[in-house]
Amino acid sequence: MMNGNGMGGGFFGFGFIGLLIIAAIILVIVWMMKPNATDKSGSKNSDSLETLKKRLANGEISEEEYDRLKKKLDD
């Protein structure tokens, strides 16, 4: 009589499939919030390199500073 509501009572009424669905939703949210792995060679890196080149051309930074910052961008 205690389990007469038809929900089965296991895992707070969700059941194993319900827990799998919740876990999948959480994993998708976490995956979507991660930074994109392709950004290393993508437009963000190339924009930064272009800015660095312009700063060198304008005389804002020295060649040594350019090389140091470029190496940091490549890492």
Side-chain angles (χ1 to χ4, degrees):
M1 286 281 173
M2 292 180 75
N3 277 339
N5 60 4
M7 295 187 76
F11 296 110
F12 303 101
F14 289 111
F16 187 68
I17 301 297
L19 289 178
L20 286 177
I21 291 171
I22 291 172
I25 290 170
I26 291 171
L27 287 173
V28 167
I29 290 171
V30 168
W31 176 74
M32 288 173 43
M33 296 182 81
K34 268 189 353 184
N36 194 356
T38 60
D39 278 349
K40 247 187 157 164
S41 62
S43 64
K44 186 175 183 179
N45 192 23
S46 63
D47 290 345
S48 299
L49 188 57
E50 286 300 315
T51 302
L52 197 57
K53 287 178 181 178
K54 287 178 185 176
R55 290 183 65 195
L56 178 64
N58 291 337
E60 297 174 22
I61 58 173
S62 65
E63 287 185 37
E64 293 82 18
E65 184 74 5
Y66 172 82
D67 292 335
R68 185 182 69 78
L69 292 171
K70 184 175 183 248
K71 184 178 178 189
K72 199 170 201 174
L73 283 174
D74 290 337
D75 287 341

